[in-house]
Amino acid sequence: MPVDFLTAEHQARYGQFSGEPNNEQLARYFHLDDADLAFIFNRRGKHNRLGFALQLTSVRFLGDFLDDLTMVPAKVKRFVGRQVAVYDVSVLANYAKRDNTKWEHAALIREQYGYHEFSNPPWPFRLSRRLFSRAWISNERPTLMFDFAMAWLIQHKVLLPGVTTLIRLISEIRERAANRLWLRLSSLPTDQQKAKLETLLQVPEDHRTSRFDRFRKGPVTISSPAFNEAVERYRDLQAFGMGGLNFSRIPPIRLKSLARHAGMISMHKIAGMPEDKRIAILVAFAKAFETIALDEALDVLDLLITNITGEAKKIGQKNRLRSLKDLDKSALTLAAVCTLLIGETQDNQLRKTVFALITKEKLTESIATVNALARPADDKFHNEMVEQYGRVRRFLPHLFNSIVFKAAPAGKITLETFHFLAALGASRQNILKDPPLDIITPPWKRLVIDQEGRVTKRGYTLCFLNKLQDSLRRRDVYVENSDRWGDPRTKLLQGPAWQANRIEVCRALGHPINPQEAITGLVCQLDNTYKRVAANFEGNEAVGLDLSNKHPSLTITNLDKLEEPPSLVQLSRQVNGLLPKVDLTELLLEIHAHTGFADEFIHVSEANARAEDLTTSICAVLLAEACNIGLEPLVKNHVPALTRHRLNWVKQNFIRAETLVRANARLVDYHATLPLAQKWGGGEVASADGLRFVATNLKRDTFCQFGFMAIPTIKQNQRVAN
């Protein structure tokens, strides 16, 4: 494995400032709370306080202590200096004139804030375990693993080791993961399968390339021969028997990555690899490219049917243009005759008058021409499609004999037709006996069924292909071993995985755990609604049903606005009068005084980190997030708790999902003790915006979705109850 995957620029940024931090980074890593300031002000002299503060904030941001504090950006010096009351940052030149000062300060910071050396157990083992899991499951690039390792060390307060130490560790872990993958893959096939895989790397005497190179090349044209070749390629790869091996212990991403690597490198390079690695690459190649070959064959089939349909449409349009002249001539003749029919000519003289104008033979010929050239409204050039049967006949044997289709309930008719046609084999009969007729749609009827009511093979086969394409695209019919054309239901939770997550999923969706209860409830609701509508339908003047057309239509007149009764207006006024008329900002602080919900917001890494008037800052950030107005309207630089940097620091470090859940849980618990809530019930059911849900089950998972906007409800309920 390479050990020089980092660029010189990346190595130069390791544990060093690569530029000036942005405002969010300043607020998260360089803001000093009250405990930090108290610890810093124990140092004597402005230069010591500033240097100590820069050491503390730099190790938080970079994960290591800086050897030279002059490398700290000027923006950081000014930001930290203002917090420790050092406005002239030039005093930093006097810091650490004594060599031991810097090391003593670093030791104090490590002891006070719990920083660890990387070489001390168990940190090397924990990081190696995390990195190996990621390398085994995801096959990340080494640079991404390096960045993850840095972030993990900083998060767990482990001082960064030397850059070469971390590079070697990542390289060793990636090599271990690769060796493990090669060993597992090479142990899957039998000796016979291994020998057969080795033949992929051999060049036959009558060929210039190996089978391995030929299998890597997919179809490049859309035609019947191209589909046949794609199917043959799939069958040859299927013959290696990789589909019968158990790949459950191999991460799918690693398998695809290894197969993709095999598809790019030279066959001769694979032949020169060690046996375990060579067999592993061949196994991954055969397994992955078997699925790829099947997908590409089905892609060609889909495009081929589309191409046949498009070609038939193009031919039909050309024929249509060529026949318009004859159609116009015949239509004009019939128009003249029809003019006489609707005129004032007597009935006994009608036939003589018509035949004097045009002979009976000419009239019959015109009628036949109009019937032949005119197209019904639902015609989609099916006649021309049937003429394409010669192209279809070339690939039908490979379609019926080499690809195994399966069907969802909506595709059973298509699958039944597929089996019926496949059973005919090479039969040349033109009339089919007792085929499934449900697949025939009205536009296809006149082309599938002849004048004697018999089903023709050509029209029926073309009708089936049209239905097969539609069913494949809808996934009503699917191929089990395919990625793109497989059954989408297999990606759902099933078996033990579903049983392990069933309760949580049902609660999150608001469904009962027993499916029969949900079905019974929906059945009863539908039945009652249907009966109620049926009982009121005849007497409902606002609803009309038009049955005169082929397709019945339902007409509903506009509903008039219902006026609010005086009692409802009076009740609304009374409720509004009981609600507290206070500012939302004051209400938040008052609710905190009752419940203490803001105490649940703790620092992301420093659990004891607090600041003066922290509750005010937390409530301000909650208000900005809930009202979606941003922090800017709440910034007041003359109030320490509402400065921009304080609010950014709180937002970055205190407001997160887990603290919101705990704060909302405290609100819900307090809400259940209110007299009005107890009058309403046991507190097991809550509602918001018309949606009812079980509060006890969703209290710590779903209630936080409403944000703190539920807070005013507590105070409102108290006023209403009083």
Side-chain angles (χ1 to χ4, degrees):
M1 286 292 175
V3 295
D4 55 349
F5 54 83
L6 287 186
T7 62
E9 182 182 359
H10 205 152
Q11 293 189 34
R13 296 201 306 265
Y14 181 73
Q16 301 291 332
F17 285 96
S18 59
E20 291 192 349
N22 56 38
N23 291 333
E24 292 185 357
Q25 291 172 331
L26 286 175
R28 179 167 187 174
Y29 297 101
F30 296 93
H31 180 85
L32 301 172
D33 59 23
D34 294 348
D36 297 335
L37 293 174
F39 189 52
I40 292 170
F41 276 101
N42 288 333
R43 316 278 82 77
R44 291 179 298 178
K46 293 184 177 180
H47 59 284
N48 279 333
R49 289 200 296 271
L50 180 58
F52 191 88
L54 290 176
Q55 288 272 48
L56 172 60
T57 53
S58 297
V59 74
R60 284 177 177 173
F61 181 62
L62 301 174
D64 200 4
F65 295 100
L66 289 175
D67 294 332
D68 185 6
L69 291 182
T70 60
M71 303 299 294
V72 177
K75 184 178 180 180
V76 174
K77 294 178 183 177
R78 293 193 299 270
F79 181 76
V80 175
R82 286 196 299 267
Q83 298 181 75
V84 296
V86 178
Y87 301 99
D88 183 10
V89 296
S90 62
V91 300
L92 190 62
N94 299 325
Y95 177 71
K97 286 187 174 181
R98 189 171 63 92
D99 293 338
N100 290 338
T101 300
K102 183 172 58 177
W103 308 114
E104 291 172 357
H105 286 179
L108 289 172
I109 293 173
R110 283 199 299 267
E111 181 180 357
Q112 178 71 16
Y113 291 94
Y115 282 92
H116 314 281
E117 293 288 345
F118 177 72
S119 57
N120 296 336
W123 304 111
F125 171 74
R126 290 185 179 179
L127 178 60
S128 299
R129 183 174 56 185
R130 292 296 300 274
L131 290 176
F132 184 82
S133 298
R134 294 176 71 91
W136 173 247
I137 294 175
S138 63
N139 191 32
E140 287 182 333
R141 297 195 306 271
T143 52
L144 293 178
M145 293 183 64
F146 187 88
D147 293 337
F148 168 79
M150 284 182 55
W152 188 90
L153 292 171
I154 293 174
Q155 179 184 358
H156 290 81
K157 295 185 177 181
V158 181
L159 299 179
L160 297 181
V163 62
T164 55
T165 301
L166 201 55
I167 289 175
R168 285 197 301 270
L169 176 63
I170 292 174
S171 299
E172 292 173 0
I173 288 174
R174 285 172 55 82
E175 185 173 3
R176 284 171 47 203
N179 290 334
R180 183 186 188 189
L181 177 66
W182 299 337
L183 183 61
R184 286 194 175 183
L185 283 175
S186 61
S187 63
L188 291 178
T190 62
D191 293 339
Q192 294 179 349
Q193 289 175 321
K194 290 180 181 180
K196 195 171 183 179
L197 288 171
E198 293 280 9
T199 61
L200 288 173
L201 305 178
Q202 300 173 3
V203 180
E205 295 182 357
D206 55 341
H207 291 80
R208 299 180 60 183
T209 58
S210 64
R211 297 173 67 199
F212 181 82
D213 292 328
R214 294 199 299 273
F215 285 149
R216 290 195 291 189
K217 297 179 181 179
V220 294
T221 59
I222 303 172
S223 62
S224 299
F227 173 75
N228 293 338
E229 291 176 4
V231 172
E232 290 295 337
R233 173 176 172 238
Y234 162 66
R235 294 180 62 180
D236 290 342
L237 286 167
Q238 191 181 34
F240 288 102
M242 296 298 105
L245 302 180
N246 183 12
F247 288 88
S248 60
R249 298 176 60 198
I250 308 297
I253 295 180
R254 293 303 304 267
L255 185 68
K256 292 181 179 179
S257 176
L258 190 59
R260 185 168 57 250
H261 177 66
M264 294 185 295
I265 62 177
S266 169
M267 175 269 293
H268 301 286
K269 189 173 182 179
I270 297 177
M273 292 178 178
E275 182 180 1
D276 287 346
K277 184 177 181 180
R278 183 175 68 253
I279 296 298
I281 287 181
L282 293 177
V283 169
F285 172 82
K287 172 62 177 176
F289 272 76
E290 178 184 339
T291 302
I292 292 173
L294 178 58
D295 287 341
E296 291 177 347
L298 293 173
D299 289 340
V300 173
L301 175 64
D302 178 65
L303 294 173
L304 183 57
I305 296 175
T306 302
N307 183 270
I308 291 174
T309 305
E311 189 68 23
K313 183 177 181 180
K314 188 185 301 182
I315 296 173
Q317 289 174 343
K318 290 182 179 179
N319 294 335
R320 178 73 168 169
L321 291 174
R322 286 196 298 265
S323 61
L324 282 178
K325 183 177 180 180
D326 296 334
L327 179 62
D328 291 341
K329 182 179 178 180
S330 300
L332 290 174
T333 302
L334 292 178
V337 173
C338 291
T339 302
L340 294 175
L341 292 175
I342 64 176
E344 297 180 357
T345 306
Q346 297 296 327
D347 291 344
N348 53 2
Q349 299 180 355
L350 178 61
R351 295 175 62 85
K352 295 180 180 180
T353 305
V354 171
F355 292 146
L357 177 66
I358 181 173
T359 64
K360 184 176 181 181
E361 293 76 12
K362 188 68 175 179
L363 183 60
T364 305
E365 182 182 351
S366 297
I367 294 174
T369 302
V370 171
N371 289 332
L373 299 181
R375 293 178 178 269
D378 57 355
D379 182 77
K380 296 182 180 179
F381 306 102
H382 296 93
N383 281 326
E384 287 74 13
M385 276 198 67
V386 175
E387 294 175 2
Q388 302 291 318
Y389 182 76
R391 297 176 60 186
V392 171
R393 189 174 54 185
R394 299 176 186 174
F395 66 82
L396 284 180
H398 285 81
L399 175 65
F400 291 141
N401 300 327
S402 302
I403 300 180
V404 179
F405 290 99
K406 293 190 176 182
K412 288 184 177 179
I413 297 175
T414 307
L415 187 62
E416 182 181 354
T417 306
F418 173 84
H419 292 316
F420 173 81
L421 291 174
L424 295 178
S427 174
R428 295 186 177 183
Q429 57 179 337
N430 294 324
I431 303 300
L432 303 179
K433 295 182 179 180
D434 300 327
L437 300 179
D438 294 335
I439 199 174
I440 305 174
T441 57
W444 280 95
K445 255 182 189 179
R446 64 188 184 88
L447 300 174
V448 175
I449 301 176
D450 60 11
Q451 296 180 352
E452 299 179 6
R454 299 175 302 178
V455 178
T456 61
K457 184 178 181 181
R458 287 191 173 192
Y460 190 79
T461 304
L462 269 296
C463 177
F464 159 73
L465 288 179
N466 183 67
K467 182 64 175 178
L468 176 65
Q469 182 186 38
D470 182 65
S471 299
L472 277 173
R473 290 180 174 180
R474 295 173 180 269
R475 301 303 186 270
D476 294 338
V477 172
Y478 59 88
V479 181
E480 198 169 41
N481 297 326
S482 174
D483 260 352
R484 290 194 293 270
W485 302 92
D487 185 5
R489 296 175 299 177
T490 58
K491 299 179 181 179
L492 300 176
L493 290 176
Q494 297 180 1
W498 163 246
Q499 294 299 328
N501 297 278
R502 181 168 59 94
I503 296 177
E504 296 180 2
V505 172
C506 291
R507 285 179 177 176
L509 296 176
H511 295 320
I513 299 176
N514 185 1
Q516 191 59 40
E517 295 180 9
I519 296 174
T520 303
L522 292 174
V523 168
C524 294
Q525 182 181 357
L526 178 62
D527 184 62
N528 294 334
T529 303
Y530 180 83
K531 290 179 179 178
R532 187 167 61 253
V533 172
N536 299 330
F537 188 81
E538 293 183 358
N540 193 346
E541 298 179 355
V543 180
L545 187 62
D546 185 7
L547 301 176
S548 59
N549 298 326
K550 182 178 180 181
H551 301 286
S553 60
L554 181 68
T555 304
I556 302 177
T557 59
N558 295 330
L559 299 178
D560 296 331
K561 175 184 177 182
L562 294 178
E563 298 295 335
E564 294 183 353
S567 59
L568 179 59
V569 175
Q570 182 181 0
L571 178 61
S572 299
R573 291 174 180 173
Q574 292 178 351
V575 172
N576 290 331
L578 293 173
L579 295 178
K581 297 180 180 180
V582 295
D583 291 337
L584 189 57
T585 54
E586 297 178 4
L587 183 60
L588 288 179
L589 295 173
E590 185 178 351
I591 293 301
H592 169 70
H594 285 281
T595 64
F597 76 95
D599 296 335
E600 299 293 342
F601 294 92
I602 60 175
H603 196 278
V604 65
S605 59
E606 304 288 344
N608 297 324
R610 309 301 287 179
E612 186 177 358
D613 294 332
L614 181 61
T615 299
T616 303
S617 303
I618 290 174
C619 291
V621 174
L622 288 174
L623 180 62
E625 292 293 314
C627 297
N628 198 23
I629 59 176
L631 299 177
E632 197 63 30
L634 300 171
V635 172
K636 296 181 180 179
N637 291 324
H638 63 280
V639 180
L642 297 177
T643 61
R644 182 178 290 101
H645 294 302
R646 168 70 79 84
L647 295 180
N648 279 324
W649 177 67
V650 170
K651 181 180 178 181
Q652 291 285 336
N653 295 280
F654 289 84
I655 309 300
R656 55 190 188 277
E658 55 182 296
T659 54
L660 284 170
V661 168
R662 289 200 294 264
N664 278 289
R666 180 176 289 198
L667 290 175
V668 174
D669 292 339
Y670 185 84
H671 194 279
T673 64
L674 298 178
L676 182 59
Q678 295 176 353
K679 292 291 184 181
W680 281 341
E684 296 178 352
V685 178
S687 65
D689 296 334
L691 302 177
R692 297 173 61 84
F693 58 91
V694 181
T696 54
N697 291 341
L698 299 179
K699 177 175 63 176
R700 300 184 181 275
D701 298 323
T702 305
F703 198 82
C704 62
Q705 295 177 3
F706 299 98
F708 83 97
M709 296 307 293
I711 295 175
T713 308
I714 298 176
K715 194 60 181 176
Q716 293 169 7
N717 290 342
Q718 285 185 330
R719 298 292 176 89
V720 174
N722 294 335

